[in-house]
Amino acid sequence: MWESETESVRGKEFGNGFFSSTKHGFNTDGFQLKGQSWYVATDIPNDLLIQVGDINFHLHKYPLLSRSGKMNRLIYDSKDPDLKRIVFEDLPGGSEAFELAAKFCYGLAVDLTAGNISGLRCAAEYLEMTEDLEEGNLVFKTEAFLSYVVLSSWRDSIVVLKSCEKLSPWAENLQIARRCSESIAWKACANPKGIKWAYTGKPSNVSSPKWNDLKDSSPSRNQHVPPDWWFEDVSILRIDHFVRVITAIKVKGMRFELIGAAIMHYAAKWLPCLIQDGELQADEMSISSHSNSWKGGFHMIIPGTKDDNLSIQAKDQRTIVESLISIVPPQKDSVSCGFLLRLLRAANMLKVAPALVTELEKRVGMQLEQATLADLLIPNYNKSETSYDVDLVQRLLEHFLVQEQTDSSSPSRRSFSDKQMYEGTHRGNNLNPKSRVARLVDSYLTEVSRDRNLLMTKFQVLAEALPESARTCDDGLYRAIDSYLKAHPTLSEHERKRLCRVMDCQKLSVDACIHAAQNERLPLRVVVQVLFSEQVKISNTLANAITLKDPAETRYQPLITNRKTLLEGTPQSFQEGWVTAKKDINTLKFELDGVKSKHVELQKEMENLQRQFEKMSKPKPTSAWSSGWKKLGKLTKMTTVENHDIGPQISTTIEHVRKPPRRWRNSIS
């Protein structure tokens, strides 16, 4: 490819950038500049003064009339036969282009380069230097140079397109900008291995190849060409030309990741104060050194977004932001979520059209799980409300949930998500997008809860926007609630209870429960629920330890290990007051053991009373007389069995013992 800008070709044929015409009636050695005036070095006195801007040209009528149709009309159609002065106020290209056109009319050599060709082409069209007046006129010459030299060179196409910024609408009407954009897009989509033209992004020690020794010094042979080699060159263009180039590149099928990277590179160069990290107020905006205001040309025109209060620089920035939003590829992950959020911040600051802001919010919702807290803290530029735009985050969350529901209903997307989950599990990060967004929302709520102007309703709506399955642990939500209660000490008991309903006490960790048990800002009912849930978890842990652990080992060792693990993963704020809370828990356990022992004693007393009652309720038919005789008979049997070898004395004694009762019975009868 030819690099006509880097090498000025003089004294050669037209195809190398030099041409002249000898069909004139003047012998001249050239033009001479004296102060702010140009003079023709000839013996014939001039008879025409042409003023272009601040520069005066002292010329002759005949050479101009033979080449310019506009000069013919101005001179012959004028009622003044002695017209000697013409003023061109709107000539494209200015005095530089008219100087070259005048030299061509006098038959002097004109050196065409990428820097002057666009202005000269527009000036030739303005002066009507067409083939109708003379064959090989200036319009034909410049058009041929554009087609055969400029459009075949990467760098010349960039330079010409850059120079078209000052030539609107002539460059647009003559299709110069469109043809250069197509040429740039075609070369940007080429295979990097086959690139044989110079570009800005390459190392400085590699010289630019010339058209005549291109085969020996092509970048493809000397160095590795990265896929983003064209970013830096394209980023010097004005936003309307950049949009045109990116649109042409999209049509040619370039990967959306590269297009998104080029857009981010352009934004970082033209909007450094808005796109880069850091706080920025609307009244402290500063424009990049590359930006400038322009009139006409192709750029985004959004109806209903005029604001006279914005400065010219701010309006230029708004045009850039609106244009970048419109050309971001629709595919997910084409640009980073952080870039989209910073672009959204700039859009809100510059009061971009609502339709474009809504579209940008949807794009952020598609990949909200990739956002960070710093990017999500977008200021609220309505000074009468909260410091941060909580409503904006609420809308982003709604777009995220809609997108998640759409993705889950798609079979192909669901299989892709399952694959991602499988890979994420093996990498040690098995958090799904909803869980990551839940952590992000909890952190955001903790940050914005310190704002005293934040309504509790907005806090609740944002906290309850995600489903319960998104949070496996409510520690972050408890931290946000505690921060809100600390910043709003005037809340009533009912309001505090209502606020705490967004939190599930059973999802709190051990240390969060310890902190909540001694938190005076929480309602008493919530503290009781926390203690109860903690007691239930302790009981379940003991039961599992007894069931699963080997009896030969210490039964409390798993609890100690889990306690250490929980303490290591718990914030320092939840570990404060550990000794006091531990004493309270031990006291509750001691009281519970006492209640259990009393219950056992009462059960034993109840059983004794029941047995006594059963004995008393049974009937007893025997009298006192029969019981006495039974006792006497038992005694007689025992005596007979044990003393069967005793003599008559014992038997006499027995008989003696038996006789008195009979006499007693006889006496009774």
Side-chain angles (χ1 to χ4, degrees), residues 443-515:
S443 301
Y444 180 80
L445 287 173
T446 304
E447 187 68 26
V448 301
S449 62
R450 302 184 181 95
D451 192 348
R452 295 183 180 273
N453 296 326
L454 179 63
L455 298 178
M456 189 179 70
T457 304
K458 289 187 177 182
F459 185 95
Q460 285 182 291
V461 170
L462 189 58
E464 295 175 347
L466 290 169
E468 295 183 0
S469 59
R471 292 185 178 91
T472 57
C473 181
D474 278 7
D475 285 7
L477 195 56
Y478 167 71
R479 190 183 302 108
I481 292 174
D482 183 56
S483 178
Y484 188 87
L485 293 175
K486 186 184 298 182
H488 300 77
T490 59
L491 292 178
S492 62
E493 183 74 13
H494 175 70
E495 290 175 336
R496 288 187 291 149
K497 288 181 180 179
R498 192 176 65 179
L499 179 64
C500 292
R501 289 196 189 106
V502 302
M503 174 183 61
D504 188 358
C505 297
Q506 296 181 357
K507 291 184 178 181
L508 295 179
S509 64
V510 176
D511 295 281
C513 292
I514 294 172
H515 187 275

Side-chain angles (χ1 to χ4, degrees), residues 162 165 234-239 265-273 287-288 290-292 294 317 320:
K162 181 67 176 175
E165 297 176 358
V234 174
S235 65
I236 69 173
L237 300 175
R238 200 175 62 185
I239 183 61
H265 184 85
Y266 186 89
K269 188 170 186 177
W270 286 75
L271 302 171
C273 299
I287 196 72
S288 174
H290 300 279
S291 67
N292 54 354
W294 67 91
Q317 285 185 330
I320 294 175

Side-chain angles (χ1 to χ4, degrees), residues 144 234 532 591:
V234 174
F532 178 76
E591 293 178 356

Side-chain angles (χ1 to χ4, degrees), residues 297-313:
F298 174 82
H299 58 275
M300 299 297 300
I301 301 176
I302 307 299
T305 59
K306 294 182 179 179
D307 190 354
D308 297 335
N309 295 328
L310 292 177
S311 63
I312 296 177
Q313 293 179 344

Side-chain angles (χ1 to χ4, degrees), residues 587-605:
T587 302
L588 292 175
K589 289 181 179 180
F590 179 76
E591 293 178 356
L592 183 62
D593 294 338
V595 172
K596 288 182 179 180
S597 61
K598 291 181 180 179
H599 178 67
V600 173
E601 293 178 359
L602 290 175
Q603 283 184 341
K604 291 181 179 180
E605 293 180 0

Side-chain angles (χ1 to χ4, degrees), residues 367 426 487 541:
Q367 48 197 98
H426 286 273
T541 304

Side-chain angles (χ1 to χ4, degrees), residues 8 64 74 79 95 141 304 320 343 387 406 421 430 451 517 534 587 633 668:
S8 179
L64 300 179
L74 291 176
K79 296 180 180 180
S95 60
K141 299 283 188 180
I320 294 175
L343 197 63
S387 301
T406 304
M421 181 63 69
N430 56 354
D451 192 348
E534 178 65 14
T587 302
I668 292 299

